[in-house]
Amino acid sequence: GAFSAASAHSVGARGTLDLADRSQTVAGLTNAGRVTLGGTSGTRLAISGNYVGQGGTLHFTTDLGGDGSATDRMTVAGNTSGSSVVEVTNGVGSGAPTVNGIKLIDVAGTSGGTFTLDGDTVIDGRPVVMILLNSYGKYTRIADAKRVRTWLETHSRVASL
């Protein structure tokens, strides 16, 4: 089934919104619970208004590979605010170098929200750092600055895929 593209939706602290691999458009989204796009890469969640994170989780499936890898994606036509945790599950990717990275969240308005990567991402036994950019790709928002800094300080070189 489809959600109403004209309605804003709210996910409570104990709630789950599971798109079940079906792309959807909503007018707005407030997330204090869990939003799961699905188990197969390629699902789209389009928000025509604003996204408000209230400590909720966004779960994406991505084929971790090069720049053109299949991935779930959330697009926000309005602004983002608040904080959210981002979980990424590898679909069928085996890792590859990227130039631009794999975009999970695209914000057309003001990207005022904080999206923190949950846990450590590892491909072929090597840790991976993910960095989130705003809609212009200029202002870098590091998902968890303390964890990234600690990782960089304890590794003699940055591993390339």
Side-chain angles (χ1 to χ4, degrees), residues 9-13 28-35 45 47 49-60 74 76 78-86 105 107 110-116 141:
H9 297 273
S10 184
V11 181
L29 181 61
T30 299
N31 181 19
R34 180 175 183 82
V35 175
L45 173 58
I47 302 170
N50 298 326
Y51 172 85
V52 178
Q54 294 181 335
T57 299
L58 295 166
H59 182 265
F60 298 88
M74 181 176 83
V76 182
N79 305 320
T80 63
S81 63
S83 63
S84 299
V85 174
V86 174
I105 302 168
V107 181
T110 300
S111 183
T114 300
F115 299 92
T116 304
R141 301 187 74 103

Side-chain angles (χ1 to χ4, degrees), residues 2-127:
F3 297 109
S4 170
S7 296
H9 297 273
S10 184
V11 181
R14 295 184 182 182
T16 298
L17 173 62
D18 187 351
L19 300 187
D21 295 319
R22 291 187 295 265
S23 295
Q24 301 282 342
T25 299
V26 297
L29 181 61
T30 299
N31 181 19
R34 180 175 183 82
V35 175
T36 301
L37 279 71
T40 304
S41 299
T43 304
R44 301 291 184 253
L45 173 58
I47 302 170
S48 58
N50 298 326
Y51 172 85
V52 178
Q54 294 181 335
T57 299
L58 295 166
H59 182 265
F60 298 88
T61 300
T62 300
D63 295 344
L64 296 173
D67 286 328
S69 296
T71 185
D72 292 340
R73 182 170 297 150
M74 181 176 83
T75 58
V76 182
N79 305 320
T80 63
S81 63
S83 63
S84 299
V85 174
V86 174
E87 293 178 346
V88 179
T89 298
N90 186 18
V92 297
S94 59
T98 64
V99 174
N100 299 312
I102 302 169
K103 185 183 285 191
L104 301 175
I105 302 168
D106 191 10
V107 181
T110 300
S111 183
T114 300
F115 299 92
T116 304
L117 181 65
D118 182 38
D120 296 322
T121 301
V122 177
I123 298 176
D124 293 332
R126 296 180 292 189

